[in-house]
């Protein structure tokens, strides 16, 4: 863990992240103990939008002795380096923290910074989750569980039906799904969209948006094998996806935006692209928020090319530094219960990993007004029926977000050739993982 922390800390410093007042958590050694009237105060730290506003209110109503301060920490790439620092320092982390699946394995390998949820009674919850979701947070010896599963990232294709109509393409989601059953179909439809000359927008936001869904569908590993050895240069699916996305850019089908940036935010608001591979958490929690009310009813959702898959998904953990681990566990337990999952799905489109929630009509029959009445429960539920987990490795997030994605973006924007960018990404990844 120390080695991972040093690497992450170095990455933070190299990126110029200030760890002074702007980088500090609101929680400190004098906080997080008691609130008004002797209430126990818990700090919950999450990234992006977990959809917990109503669930927290419900939890507090059922636990009047507990007050929850929810610190929404922005994007994952902003929160994760700070969490690494707080865990290393032994203070600053919340009583409950969100962990994305791309960083989870690193913590599972070195679990000393988190409470063992089995010691707090979590063993009784095992049957609530898919086996793979539960096992992902378990140490290899099966003796320690560091987190409980929140959402899973069932996949679909979000598209702007108003742009499709202008380009003379079908707009009905079933017809759209039939027109792009494979990724080659999807690309061909994009060329047809571009050739119409009737829409200024690009077909896809960025070549990098293909990487996660395509690899997740076509490989059981990504950048690392199951021995946690870097294989990004030898996994043929990674290079295949790299080439596929950059060829789309070369063909003028991508908007060349930088995802998770102000550039990307502006592209949503300005209707700069027509399609986006979208996991369930990206619908209400990202697309609807970034596109804004003016674009409500213009988006719709079709099946993902290639059939099913998973992109993302998160967990809630209790750092060992929490002064109230029992109460923190109760909060994590509630937020990952059927009720908590359904509240998060209603609020942010986060697809439940709780089995009972997946079978509940509140999920299965759910439609989205923003996405033109799309039956999101049905679409995303079917996308994960035959899903097989993909091994990501301890440094997956670091390798993708700080190495491969920026280099792929550089090639997309013609700052480097594809070959030069690939070589640079591989060389940097090998150094970072050696």
């Amino acid at each position: 863990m120390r080695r991972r922390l040093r690497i992450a800390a170095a990455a933070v410093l190299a990126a110029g992240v200030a760890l002074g007042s702007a980088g500090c958590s609101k929680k400190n050694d004098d906080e997080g103990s008691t609130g008004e009237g002797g209430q126990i105060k818990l700090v919950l730290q999450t990234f992006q939008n977990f959809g917990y506003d109503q669930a927290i209110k419900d939890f507090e109503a059922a636990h009047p002795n507990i007050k929850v301060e929810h610190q929404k920490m922005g994007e994952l790439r902003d929160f994760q380096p700070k969490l690494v620092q707080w865990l290393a320092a032994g203070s600053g982390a919340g009583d409950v923290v969100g962990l994305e699946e791309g960083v989870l394995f690193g913590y599972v390998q070195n679990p000393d910074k988190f409470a063992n949820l089995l010691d707090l009674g979590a063993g009784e919850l095992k049957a609530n989750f898919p086996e793979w979701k539960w096992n992902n947070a378990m140490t290899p010896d099966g003796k320690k569980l560091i987190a409980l599963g929140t959402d899973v990232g069932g996949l679909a294709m979000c598209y702007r039906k108003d742009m499709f109509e202008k380009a003379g393409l079908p707009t009905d989601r079933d017809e759209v799904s039939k027109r792009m059953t494979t990724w080659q179909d999807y690309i061909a439809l994009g060329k047809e969209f571009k050739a119409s000359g009737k829409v200024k927008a690009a077909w896809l936001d960025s070549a990098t948006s293909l990487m996660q869904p395509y690899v997740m569908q076509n490989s059981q590993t990504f950048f690392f094998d199951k021995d946690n050895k870097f294989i990004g240069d030898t996994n043929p699916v990674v290079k295949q996806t790299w080439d596929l996305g950059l060829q789309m850019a070369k063909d003028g089908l991508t908007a060349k935006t930088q995802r998770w940036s102000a550039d990307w935010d502006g592209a949503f608001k300005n209707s700069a692209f027509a399609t986006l591979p979208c996991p369930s958490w990206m619908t209400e929690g990202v697309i609807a928020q970034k596109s804004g009310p003016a674009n409500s009813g213009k988006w719709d959702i079709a099946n993902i090319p290639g059939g099913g898959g998973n992109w993302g998904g998160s967990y809630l953990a209790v750092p060992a530094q929490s002064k109230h681990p029992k109460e923190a566990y109760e909060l994590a337990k509630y937020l990952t219960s059927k009720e908590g999952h359904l509240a998060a799905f209603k609020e942010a489109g986060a697809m439940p990993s709780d089995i009972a929630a997946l079978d509940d009509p509140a999920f299965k029959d759910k439609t989205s007004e923003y996405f033109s009445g799309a039956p999101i429960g049905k679409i995303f539920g079917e996308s994960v029926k035959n899903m097989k987990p993909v091994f990501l490795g301890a440094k997956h997030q670091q390798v993708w977000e700080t190495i491969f994605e920026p280099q792929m973006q550089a090639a997309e924007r013609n700052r480097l050739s594809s070959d030069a960018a690939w070589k640079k990404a591989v060389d940097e990844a090998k150094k970072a993982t050696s």
Side-chain angles (χ1 to χ4, degrees):
M1 182 65 174
R2 294 188 184 94
R3 185 169 181 271
R4 176 178 171 82
L5 293 173
R6 284 199 300 270
I7 292 172
V12 171
L13 293 173
V17 177
L19 295 177
S21 58
C24 291
S25 164
K26 297 177 184 178
K27 182 175 184 287
N28 57 47
D29 290 339
D30 296 324
E31 292 183 329
S33 295
T34 57
E36 295 181 6
Q39 284 181 311
I40 292 173
K41 179 181 175 182
L42 297 178
V43 172
L44 168 67
Q45 294 170 338
T46 61
F47 52 90
Q48 291 170 206
N49 182 11
F50 274 51
Y52 283 161
D53 289 353
Q54 185 58 50
I56 289 172
K57 292 178 182 178
D58 295 340
F59 175 81
E60 289 178 331
H63 299 80
N65 63 317
I66 298 176
K67 179 66 177 177
V68 179
E69 178 187 338
H70 187 188
Q71 296 179 3
K72 299 178 181 180
M73 308 300 292
E75 303 296 352
L76 173 63
R77 64 182 63 192
D78 299 323
F79 172 52
Q80 172 59 17
K82 295 175 184 178
L83 179 60
V84 168
Q85 293 294 312
W86 297 330
L87 293 174
S91 65
D95 297 284
V96 178
V97 297
L99 302 179
E100 203 269 343
E101 68 171 14
V103 303
L104 178 70
F105 187 69
Y107 293 128
V108 168
Q109 285 190 317
N110 301 276
D112 58 301
K113 300 299 181 182
F114 295 96
N116 184 358
L117 302 187
L118 295 178
D119 292 341
L120 297 170
E124 66 181 7
L125 306 177
K126 182 177 181 179
N128 295 357
F129 299 90
E131 185 177 6
W132 66 267
K133 186 74 172 178
W134 177 268
N135 289 340
N136 278 355
M138 185 76 72
T139 55
D141 61 9
K143 294 181 179 180
K144 191 167 187 176
L145 182 76
I146 71 164
L148 294 174
T150 58
D151 62 318
V152 291
L155 279 169
M157 181 63 72
C158 293
Y159 68 99
R160 284 287 297 264
K161 67 177 187 179
D162 57 327
M163 295 185 190
F164 274 45
E165 184 175 14
K166 287 182 181 179
L169 301 183
T171 59
D172 176 78
R173 65 183 67 96
D174 292 333
E175 290 301 315
V176 172
S177 297
K178 291 177 183 178
R179 288 292 304 275
M180 51 183 182
T181 57
T182 69
W183 287 102
Q184 291 301 328
D185 291 339
Y186 168 73
I187 293 170
L189 194 63
K191 290 179 178 179
E192 187 177 333
F193 175 86
K194 184 176 186 294
S196 75
K198 297 178 180 179
V199 187
K200 294 182 180 180
W203 180 240
L204 175 66
D205 65 325
S206 170
T208 61
S209 287
L210 282 190
M211 187 63 76
Q212 295 286 130
Y214 192 89
V215 177
M216 291 290 193
Q217 284 182 344
N218 294 287
S219 180
Q220 293 185 2
T221 57
F222 209 122
F223 292 118
F224 298 88
D225 64 17
K226 294 183 179 180
D227 293 323
N228 208 34
K229 178 183 177 183
F230 175 72
I231 57 167
D233 57 333
T234 58
N235 183 346
V237 181
V238 174
K239 186 59 163 64
Q240 182 181 359
T241 314
W242 175 284
D243 292 340
L244 194 65
L246 291 181
Q247 184 61 51
M248 287 185 67
K250 186 176 181 181
D251 292 340
L253 298 181
T254 73
K256 302 181 181 180
T257 60
Q258 181 182 343
R259 299 188 310 155
W260 310 110
S261 71
D263 176 46
W264 201 49
D265 294 350
F268 277 105
K269 292 179 181 178
N270 297 325
S271 302
F273 53 90
T275 68
L276 182 65
C278 52
S280 51
W281 52 263
M282 194 182 278
T283 54
E284 305 289 343
V286 177
I287 295 174
Q289 290 192 9
K290 293 183 183 297
S291 297
N295 289 314
S296 178
K298 297 178 181 179
W299 283 94
D300 207 328
I301 305 176
N303 294 334
I304 190 76
N310 181 64
W311 175 359
S314 300
Y315 291 77
L316 293 180
V318 177
Q321 62 190 250
S322 172
K323 295 180 178 179
H324 302 287
K326 292 182 180 180
E327 291 81 4
Y329 165 69
E330 288 301 320
L331 174 60
K333 177 182 175 181
Y334 179 76
L335 294 176
T336 58
S337 68
K338 173 185 173 181
E339 293 74 20
H341 274 287
L342 291 175
F345 175 68
K346 180 178 180 180
E347 192 171 310
M351 183 176 172
S353 63
D354 178 90
I355 293 172
L358 287 169
D359 288 335
D360 193 281
F363 170 74
K364 291 196 300 183
D365 299 339
K366 175 69 174 177
T367 60
S368 171
E369 180 180 354
Y370 193 93
F371 288 87
S372 305
I376 54 178
K378 179 177 182 291
I379 291 171
F380 288 112
E382 290 181 351
S383 77
V384 297
K385 280 184 177 179
N386 299 313
M387 190 193 75
K388 295 180 180 179
V390 175
F391 183 82
L392 295 181
K395 296 181 181 178
H396 172 84
Q397 208 69 28
Q398 177 187 349
V399 167
W400 169 240
E401 288 195 350
T402 69
I403 299 175
F404 270 81
E405 185 173 23
Q407 295 308 320
M408 192 174 182
Q409 183 81 73
E412 182 178 22
R413 294 183 171 186
N414 297 317
R415 294 173 181 169
L416 289 174
S417 69
S418 175
D419 289 344
W422 174 261
K423 183 179 185 304
K424 188 174 181 181
V426 169
D427 289 346
E428 289 183 5
K430 287 182 175 179
K431 289 179 182 178
T433 59
S434 61

